[in-house]
Amino acid sequence: QVQLVESGGGSVQAGGSLRLSCTATSYCMGWFRQAPGKEREWVSTINSGGSTTWYADSVKGRFTISRDDAKNTLYLQMNALKPEDTAMYYCAARRGYCYAVSSPDVYAYWGQGTQVTVSS
């Protein structure tokens, strides 16, 4: 059983930065977020080995996904945060190759989430 645990969330003012972490596997891994009253939204994905990354347009240029397989850790560096980035952030993993990366349905494993709050 794969267990994913996120950390690093918190409260920050607009324009600030946070780095989220998640216990990683060797699988394709991604970050999603969900704000109150909204559907879960894909943020970013990285393939096994870290050679390819994908980003939602809403975070492109501000967020960076990375992984350190020696430390079994997945990261999401979030810069230039905006109030609309406020959400619970989840890491997710799927065995095998990355495909349909923005669909939550292709990820079999999920963490419990870490809250990010950005104030204006």
Side-chain angles (χ1 to χ4, degrees), residues 52-97:
T52 305
T53 58
W54 297 263
Y55 295 94
D57 287 344
S58 59
V59 306
K60 199 172 294 182
R62 300 188 297 121
F63 291 10
T64 303
I65 191 171
S66 63
R67 64 193 302 160
D68 185 339
D69 288 338
K71 295 182 179 179
N72 293 322
T73 304
L74 173 75
Y75 301 102
L76 185 69
Q77 178 67 45
M78 306 186 295
N79 298 329
L81 283 161
K82 304 175 181 179
E84 51 263 44
D85 295 319
T86 295
M88 186 73 78
Y89 282 70
Y90 300 89
C91 66
R94 60 162 277 107
R95 297 180 185 268
Y97 295 106

Side-chain angles (χ1 to χ4, degrees), residues 4 27-32 40 42-47 54 65 74 90-111:
L4 303 179
Y27 306 154
C28 171
M29 296 197 71
W31 288 98
F32 286 76
R40 191 164 293 192
W42 171 69
V43 174
S44 182
T45 295
I46 188 168
N47 69 337
W54 297 263
I65 191 171
L74 173 75
Y90 300 89
C91 66
R94 60 162 277 107
R95 297 180 185 268
Y97 295 106
C98 292
Y99 77 98
V101 297
S102 63
S103 171
D105 294 338
V106 306
Y107 298 87
Y109 307 102
W110 292 84

